[in-house]
Amino acid sequence: MIPTWFKRVTQIAVGSILSAAMLWGVLNVFFPLNLTQHTDHSVTVYASDGNVLRQFASSKGIYRIPITHEHVSHWYIDSLLEYEDKYFFHHIGVNPFALVRAAAQRLYYGHIISGGSTLTMQVARLFYPHPRTYFGKIEQMFRALQLEAHYSKEQILNFYLTYAPMGGNIEGVEAASQRYFAKHASELSPTEAATLVALPQKPSVYRPDRYPQRAISARNKVLERVAPSLSISPKMLVLLMQTPMTAYRRPVPLHAPLLARELKQHWPLEHDIHTFIRFTLQNDVENILSQYTRRWSAPLSASVIIMDSHTGHVLAYKGSADLNDAERFGYVDMTKAWRSPGSTLKPFIYGLAIDKGLVTSGSLMSDVPRSFDGYRPQNFDRRFNGAMRLDTALQKSQNIPAVQTFNALGPDTFMQALKQANIKLLVDKPNLAMALGGEGARLIDLVSLYSALANGGKVVSPRFTANDVQHSAPLLSPQSSWIIHSILEKIAPPDRVKAAYSRHIAWKTGTSYGYRDAWAIGTSYQYTVGVWVGRPDGAPYVGQTGANQAGPLLFDIFDMLPAEDKALPQPEHITQETICWPSGLDSTLVKDNDCKQKQHVWTIDHRTPPTLRQDSGWDHLHQWPQSLVNWSKKTGRDIIDRSQPAKTRHIAILSPTNHSQIFSYPGQQLPLTASEDAVSWYIDDQAITSNQLSLDAITKGTHKISACHDTCASIEVTVY
């Protein structure tokens, strides 16, 4: 028979358990555990090798990087558990023995000797701060029990690793490792780990960047405590304790800052964004661009993109010269800005025309003054060369032959082809001026466009992260893209004998009207590089051209890239034929007396189309185009100029003279004269429409007057 006292004790125990369970349930209903309000982390953008490109603080200004224990150094994990909570994996969130020990020590010594809080209790306090009172301690224990009921030990440990206060606005071991030691938490040494184990105890007191001696004392206390369990010998312990404090607060990394900003906006739910950017290459691009900007006298900006031509991986990205340079509008990402592309679209006009069977690489082009339904384009240097080969016209970037070809191809056809290849242009209605930059284009689209020349005619879309879908679209045939590539790679580098590693680079420059934009886009077998230089506010910079401003930067960047062991293979169905000028037909089909000059050309499947001309009809097939004949008669020059190309002529301003002092009067017109007749005049980099300068239109003071032809000359005058 069961004793009465035993029944009574059992009833009390069962009642207590039921009451505790009911109380636990009621408390959970009225005080539920909610950690969703604490998920506002920093956003970190990484390079392909794991280096940080840029880190954004949370909405509360906290630098906090989520991390799990698998990615933290064992020195830190082992030291943390040994120092803070060696029974972490055995208790239920509260360690009664530790609480009793801490209370007894406080009663005996009159102050706190050791804490009784477990790691779980510390996590509870991080999520639910409370005053240091007995009631606050009870609340902390209740929240710790809730955490243990809802999460595994590993998850609770990860909470601590992510949220532990590390001084100032830094939280978590990963953020602290990066900011204090410039490394990941997985790379922490024993002394660094001990420093970060001690830091959360008194974050404002033990900050190693402000109070290194205090931090050393706290670190050494941790090392002494954990040395036996971590198998650190006494001799090694002495050496570790003598290690100087190397921690200091590193500045927030700021590499590819505008790209990082865009990716953060594009992926708002991601805390870790991993890109294809190569960290070392990105650093090299930033350093070389910094060297260029120091040499530029005007507030010019620049943008650069390096892309793998086949995968679309963006390997380096510089949206502006300097994010923090307000004078250069450094906060504006010029890779996405709509600007006039100048002559950069010409290769694709010719490439599409080759595919359409309109021209070959050596077709006769008429570089003479012409009108295309009222549109009268001019060459950049305002000179004309008469009869030219297509490849020579492209290499010299002559405007008239490009418009001639574009007129035959059709602006609508060109626009449709680019649209199908996912290349965007900003233009109200397709027109002939597009051949010379009469539309808006973006650097990122031009880089994508030029990748077709190294990719069998397929345009590859840029990819910044693995989440970006790989996409390519055909624009040119493999044959025409190879022909255009072979033409462009024969253009000499702007300021060197050849590219590093004898790299074959097909490249093209562009200069927009008024010297507002300078472009250089190039592609090798593996890489496509795009460079833009100009002022983001659209102001001109007289004398700036793609060749002299963007070209050298393009080749400096190519020279930094790894050597390539592959060359662009010649596709099938490309043949080399001999054609006759002026007809353009295969020489075997032309009588000797009708073949004024033979030209070797690349063709696709032996196609040799007739010369593009305004005077159509077979009766004129073996005659020079009438526009060439008229130009020859008017200028007295031969249709085919066999003389050596004229050397670049340098401009000299004859009037006014440099440093002139002009005492103006109302209505005064200042005549402008130069050593060349066909020059463009500028006052303070703003175009002047005539060779007379109205002094009423300018302010008193010193002004720069410039005259440009092949080159530019500038003087200064002071108006009183």
Side-chain angles (χ1 to χ4, degrees), residues 335-508:
T335 69
K336 307 292 194 329
W338 294 101
R339 310 287 292 205
S340 167
S343 299
T344 56
L345 297 181
K346 289 176 181 176
F348 304 94
I349 293 173
Y350 289 123
L352 287 168
I354 291 173
D355 279 333
K356 293 290 184 182
L358 298 174
V359 291
T360 67
S361 65
S363 287
L364 170 62
M365 310 305 297
S366 300
D367 186 28
V368 296
R370 291 182 59 181
S371 173
F372 299 88
D373 295 327
Y375 176 54
R376 292 182 173 273
Q378 290 282 343
N379 287 325
F380 185 76
D381 61 2
R382 298 182 181 273
R383 298 177 186 175
F384 302 96
N385 297 276
M388 294 189 77
R389 287 174 56 97
L390 181 148
D391 49 14
T392 304
L394 176 55
Q395 291 163 351
K396 293 182 175 295
S397 197
Q398 295 300 101
N399 290 341
I400 310 301
V403 176
Q404 179 187 8
T405 308
F406 197 43
N407 185 54
L409 176 66
D412 289 316
T413 300
F414 183 73
M415 276 293 292
Q416 186 62 27
L418 263 61
K419 183 178 180 181
Q420 292 176 351
N422 297 313
I423 298 298
K424 301 179 180 67
L425 295 179
L426 190 64
V427 61
D428 292 333
K429 183 180 179 181
N431 58 80
L432 293 179
M434 292 172 57
L436 310 182
E439 70 286 319
R442 306 182 303 174
L443 180 63
I444 192 166
D445 292 316
L446 292 178
V447 169
S448 179
L449 182 61
Y450 271 74
S451 70
L453 300 181
N455 207 40
K458 292 182 179 179
V459 173
V460 178
S461 298
R463 299 179 65 210
F464 301 105
T465 72
N467 293 327
D468 296 326
V469 178
Q470 187 167 0
H471 185 272
S472 63
L475 174 66
L476 304 175
S477 69
Q479 293 77 24
S480 69
S481 65
W482 183 89
I483 290 172
I484 295 299
H485 192 285
S486 66
I487 293 172
L488 295 179
E489 72 177 21
K490 292 180 176 63
I491 301 175
D495 60 349
R496 66 206 72 195
V497 176
K498 62 180 181 179
Y501 310 113
S502 297
R503 196 191 312 268
H504 296 284
I505 301 171
W507 70 295
K508 182 73 182 72

Side-chain angles (χ1 to χ4, degrees), residues 191 197 283 308 407 483 572 606 626 640 698 711:
T191 54
V197 166
N283 263 325
D308 186 297
N407 185 54
I483 290 172
E572 297 180 350
H606 309 282
Q626 192 61 44
I640 302 176
I698 63 175
T711 59

Side-chain angles (χ1 to χ4, degrees), residues 255-274:
H255 305 286
L258 297 176
L259 173 62
R261 182 183 69 185
E262 179 186 348
L263 293 177
K264 176 178 179 288
Q265 295 169 348
H266 187 72
W267 305 101
L269 301 180
E270 297 290 335
H271 297 133
D272 292 335
I273 301 174
H274 296 271

